[in-house]
Amino acid sequence: MIPRFLRLLSVALVISVLVPPAGWPAAEGQEIISVSKSDVDPARLARQGLDLLMEKDGRIYIVAGPDDMAGLAARGIAYAIEPDRALAGARQVLSAAGGINGAFHSTLELETDLRTLERDFPGLARVVEIGESLEDRKIWALKISDNASMDEGEPAVLFLGCHHAREWISVEVPLLFGKYLLENYSLSQGVRDLVDSSEIWIVPIVNPDGLEYSIHVYRYWRKNRRANADGTYGVDINRNYGYRWGFDNIGSSGTPGSEVYRGTGLFSEPETAAVRDLFTGHDFRAAISFHSYSQTILYPWGYTTDPAPDDAGLGAIAATMSGLMAAVNGTVYAAGQASRALYTTNGDTVDWTYGLRAAPSFTIELPPVDIDGGGFFNDEAAIGAIFGENLPAMLYLARYAVDHPLPERRRVPLRPAGGRDRLGDGVKFVLLKAPIRFR
Ligand SMILES: [Zn+2]
């Protein structure tokens, strides 16, 4: 429902205010190359304006033009030109006509689209600022309900995207869900009944600073942009929530430079505090937090391999969602307890939403299944299909939440801010046998 000219205008505005980083590779003669991680310092390469794509098997992948390659050669750094195979999605994004990030949303593009939805669907859609990031970007929520501007105390369902900066597809799926509900409200009795009896809250970009950094500086960035005391940057905001925060040093790390650094205290980061305040301020009965990649539906607990109290119920909902999703495009999403199906995490979003209220809560790791399918780099042409297969799962969980009041509110005491790790400070981060690519 967003007029095409407005969309193009917003893209043009964005392009005009973005200054591409120095050394942004020219399209002419551009190649995807790789260098051995042992030969280079990735941070230094990024500072020099090289377009780092990702790390895989000890190699750093870079989008490089002739000058970049000549620069590496001049410094005696060996590089290999890579075939397209696993990187087709990344190339697609770079060659797209929608600016640096193609059809994927930046924070400004998101705000523009949310405002347009609010304007086109007055009464049903409201744009709400739920917080501000460390770099003063607004964290936007879209609230969808009948009488959206009023607090009617209806059952609420939460859809979150982009805790992790490089997982761009996780912005698009919840945003498209909001568009779908609004555009189909007058067409579908089922959508109308759902929206009339609930509040659907959508936060497509929880981590705007990280996302912008991923778009403009380092595509592979994961965390937020906290300046840590030791000079490193970033807290993994999906390890900063308050349920069993810092439970051990496997599911999160106390080392600031780690990709899974949990922060100095639970909810120490404004991004997680914003989600906390939203969640505790309404009658949330279910939540989905979108990530990528793995093509898997995960449910609590993440912090332990012990089953959650409602393990069977959570597993049944996940299995139903997986079946609904497979029926759309034939894409099969595995389902399982998070700690068993992927790896253990502590301080993640859905352990907290479930631990606090026993609200059925799921992390959906979007496609692809693995790195050979493109890893974090989804082809923009696949956005629609990925949304389409997730749609029935989102509708199902929202309907389920409205129809199933929570039997009890399990209030679990939160660990105090600044509380010490259970294993004590200074315990070395334990590497599991296989290197983990965190998602
Ligand atoms: Zn993630």
Side-chain angles (χ1 to χ4, degrees), residues 164 167 291 439:
H164 292 142
E167 299 167 10
H291 288 253
R439 284 160 268 185

Side-chain angles (χ1 to χ4, degrees), residues 163-164 167 222 238 290-293 365 376 438-439:
H163 275 78
H164 292 142
E167 299 167 10
R222 166 183 170 88
N238 204 35
F290 287 98
H291 288 253
S292 72
Y293 57 92
E365 298 277 359
F376 296 109
F438 293 107
R439 284 160 268 185

Side-chain angles (χ1 to χ4, degrees), residues 40 88 131 157 163 237-238 246 268 287 293 306 325 350 361 366 378 438:
V40 295
V157 188
H163 275 78
I237 55 172
N238 204 35
S268 59
Y293 57 92
D306 293 345
M325 294 155 94
V350 299
S361 303
L366 295 165
N378 299 92
F438 293 107

